[in-house]
């Protein structure tokens, strides 16, 4: 259920012209990601000196399509592409629960924002990395999840 009509929400993200010259017009923008997939590795927790710890894991999403014959006739081959995403969880409560309960093979839903960064690897080569900063993680199945003792 929407709390406000969709047009009111949309207006927040659209630039409005001002009648007065020289008036600063602020624009809003959006950086949101929603992923549904399977965990590729058990999460690890890292902590760099002077910074908060972070839980990191990979998530696989699949895209499937038919090739060849018309899709109406159900003919042709089915092709699949798997995309891997690096997920980082910084929020203290969510970070700890994710580290403790998410396991390889678990089906989860992740909401967050996309972040681009650079780092230098051990061979002194500059690399680019794309990371999803998770705001919310929803556990969808027990598949692959094992309880830690």
């Amino acid at each position: 259920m929407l709390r406000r009509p969709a047009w009111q929400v949309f207006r927040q993200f659209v630039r409005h012209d001002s009648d007065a010259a020289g008036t600063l017009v602020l624009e809003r923008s959006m950086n949101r990601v929603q992923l549904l997939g399977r965990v590729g590795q058990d999460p690890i927790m890292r902590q760099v000196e002077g910074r908060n710890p972070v839980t990191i894991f990979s998530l696989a999403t699949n895209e499937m399509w038919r090739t060849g014959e018309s899709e109406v006739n159900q003919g042709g081959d089915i092709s699949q592409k798997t995309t891997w995403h690096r997920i980082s969880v910084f929020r203290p409560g969510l970070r700890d629960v994710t580290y403790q309960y998410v396991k390889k093979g678990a089906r989860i839903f992740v909401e967050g924002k996309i972040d681009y960064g650079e780092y230098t690897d051990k061979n002194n080569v500059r690399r680019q990395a794309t990371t999803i900063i998770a705001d919310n993680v929803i556990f969808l199945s027990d598949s692959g999840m094992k309880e830690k003792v």
Side-chain angles (χ1 to χ4, degrees):
M1 176 186 284
L2 293 174
R3 293 185 180 148
R4 293 188 288 173
W7 66 269
Q8 285 181 339
V9 174
F10 182 71
R11 282 184 56 204
Q12 293 179 5
F13 300 101
V14 178
R15 181 185 174 115
H16 297 282
D17 292 328
S18 175
D19 294 334
T23 303
L24 177 65
V25 177
L26 298 177
E27 295 180 342
R28 290 196 177 185
S29 59
M30 185 183 311
N31 179 356
R32 296 299 304 158
V33 176
Q34 295 180 328
L35 298 172
L36 174 64
R38 294 212 178 259
V39 177
Q41 68 183 28
D42 286 347
I44 58 170
M45 191 175 292
R46 289 192 181 153
Q47 183 167 8
V48 178
E49 251 181 74
R51 294 193 173 177
N52 290 331
V54 59
T55 295
I56 300 168
F57 62 94
S58 62
L59 186 71
T61 57
N62 295 316
E63 180 180 353
M64 295 174 66
W65 66 93
R66 289 192 184 276
T67 58
E69 296 286 323
S70 168
E71 293 182 22
V72 176
N73 297 334
Q74 301 289 327
D77 296 326
I78 296 176
S79 296
Q80 179 175 323
K81 176 185 174 187
T82 301
T83 304
W84 289 95
H85 310 274
R86 178 186 169 101
I87 312 294
S88 295
V89 186
F90 290 94
R91 285 185 38 203
L94 184 60
R95 173 189 64 217
D96 301 333
V97 168
T98 302
Y99 178 70
Q100 186 174 3
Y101 294 108
V102 169
K103 298 293 172 217
K104 179 179 179 177
R107 191 162 188 250
I108 62 172
F109 176 78
V110 174
E111 285 183 299
K113 65 181 182 178
I114 193 164
D115 183 57
Y116 300 100
E118 287 186 356
Y119 67 95
T120 304
D121 67 9
K122 60 185 174 187
N123 298 327
N124 214 18
V125 176
R126 283 180 73 170
R127 303 236 181 231
Q128 293 182 340
T130 303
T131 304
I132 306 302
I133 309 297
D135 295 330
N136 193 16
V137 176
I138 299 174
F139 303 89
L140 298 176
S141 72
D142 291 335
S143 217
M145 292 179 74
K146 303 172 203 143
E147 195 155 330
K148 274 189 171 180
V149 179

